[in-house]
Amino acid sequence: MTAFVRAVETGGFSAAAREMGLTPSALSKLVTRLEDRLGARLLQRTTRRLQLTAEGEAFYARARPILAAMDEAEAEVAEAGASPRGMLRLYSGSTFGTHQLAPAIPRFLELHPAVEIDITISDQPLGAMQEGVDLAIRIGPLVESSLVARRICNLERVICASPSYLERHGRPRTPDDLQQHNCLWITSLPALRRWPFDTDDGIRVVHVDGNVVTNNAETVLQLALAGVGITRLSDVVVAESIRQGTLVPILADWHHVEPVPLFATYPSGRNLSPKVRAMVDFLVAEFGSAPWRQARA
């Protein structure tokens, strides 16, 4: 089949034979054997050129993608056994990138010293940047059908405040008490201003308010640590502060837990290179059990 396709694409037996490391007569015999097995003439041979018959055109149209798929399969298997190396372009939002990804990178590099990493930390949508990114770490439901996604773990949000804030303003005991408190949220995600709670009548949503807003989770964290107000942030952000006692969980018995998926994503239709596969496996092994949650507990 390869002899036939290469003869068609190079325009003759001689050129195809040189490319495949055969003699022209050997390549011609391969094509003849193929025709004999099919019981159909595929090529009209002249002294000047080869011409496809109707059967040859039909067979060529089917054979070419079959051979390409075989080449891809072989390359994928061969690549899977190769060691990870080269530049890995990685994207992450600031929440996960700052608090978890950056501290873990040295451990990945110890395992895969031939990999170089270019990390983009941003809360802006990927958009056109996706083309230049090998692997993106995304929080929340995915809508792009062009992406392949592997779930790393689920994040959970925690309502918390600093001890100094609670000493000055008291601890809220019910969701209604939040109306009397200064609350902090992320303006780039308006839904995070609506805090859900479990009640006897189902889920109740409280719209919180406060005197400082910002578009960045890290800034909200610093404001909460400074005693400015109460906040509701992902546990991946606040777990260490809770473990140290600089933030205190509140309304835990009321708070409706909303698991938020954390994904490793990459474009579909692309062979998964060893460096990308290594990073995906590392992220699942490193963060699949949400170690920050265990530390918080």
Side-chain angles (χ1 to χ4, degrees):
M1 188 184 293
T2 301
F4 164 71
V5 169
R6 295 311 300 145
V8 173
E9 293 179 341
T10 60
F13 288 161
S14 296
R18 284 195 301 270
E19 188 177 283
M20 295 182 64
L22 301 172
T23 64
S25 62
L27 188 135
S28 177
K29 289 177 181 177
L30 286 173
V31 175
T32 299
R33 283 167 51 190
L34 177 62
E35 291 176 322
D36 291 343
R37 185 165 63 83
L38 295 173
R41 177 64 63 88
L42 302 177
L43 293 169
Q44 295 288 358
R45 299 159 174 81
T46 68
T47 55
R48 293 187 177 182
R49 64 190 180 93
L50 299 176
Q51 184 174 350
L52 284 167
T53 64
E55 293 81 1
E57 288 180 357
F59 189 78
Y60 173 75
R62 293 296 189 104
R64 189 179 183 189
I66 289 172
L67 292 173
M70 291 174 62
D71 288 341
E72 285 186 13
E74 290 180 359
E76 186 171 344
V77 172
E79 201 172 53
S83 60
R85 62 178 60 253
M87 178 63 70
L88 175 65
R89 291 173 176 82
L90 189 59
Y91 172 96
S92 174
S94 61
T95 297
F96 185 80
T98 300
H99 292 273
Q100 300 297 329
L101 179 62
I105 289 298
R107 294 191 288 277
F108 177 84
L109 293 175
E110 287 181 6
L111 295 171
H112 307 289
V115 176
E116 303 171 39
I117 302 178
D118 180 349
I119 307 175
T120 297
I121 302 293
S122 174
D123 290 322
Q124 298 300 315
L126 264 176
M129 279 197 304
Q130 181 72 56
E131 289 300 318
V133 172
D134 297 308
L135 182 67
I137 300 170
R138 310 281 290 274
I139 294 176
L142 299 176
V143 296
E144 298 96 328
S145 60
S146 61
L147 295 178
V148 178
R150 182 172 175 187
R151 187 186 295 264
I152 299 173
C153 65
N154 284 331
L155 308 181
E156 295 179 1
R157 295 190 175 100
V158 181
I159 300 175
C160 54
S162 70
S164 63
Y165 176 89
L166 297 176
E167 288 173 6
R168 294 195 311 272
H169 303 283
R171 178 191 288 262
R173 302 295 179 182
T174 70
D176 288 333
D177 293 344
L178 289 173
Q179 304 296 338
Q180 311 303 318
H181 284 269
N182 202 49
C183 297
L184 312 170
W185 72 94
I186 304 171
T187 55
S188 59
L189 298 170
L192 296 187
R193 188 179 180 182
R194 300 188 291 271
W195 296 3
F197 296 92
D198 291 321
T199 70
D200 292 338
D201 298 323
I203 298 174
R204 180 188 172 196
V205 174
V206 174
H207 291 254
V208 299
D209 203 358
N211 60 7
V212 182
V213 294
T214 179
N215 67 341
N216 179 269
E218 185 64 28
T219 304
V220 171
L221 172 64
Q222 295 305 318
L223 290 169
L225 289 170
V228 175
I230 298 172
T231 190
R232 178 176 177 261
L233 290 173
S234 168
D235 56 358
V236 75
V237 178
V238 300
E240 181 61 20
S241 298
I242 291 174
R243 189 185 68 81
Q244 294 177 356
T246 53
L247 288 178
V248 179
I250 57 178
L251 297 174
D253 292 338
W254 291 84
H255 186 211
H256 178 70
V257 177
E258 294 176 305
V260 182
L262 180 71
F263 292 105
T265 69
Y266 54 91
S268 62
R270 180 184 303 176
N271 288 339
L272 192 59
S273 67
K275 62 187 178 184
V276 173
R277 181 181 289 106
M279 177 57 78
V280 172
D281 290 344
F282 173 81
L283 292 171
V284 172
E286 189 82 3
F287 303 115
S289 62
W292 52 85
R293 196 169 302 143
Q294 298 170 20
R296 185 189 85 199

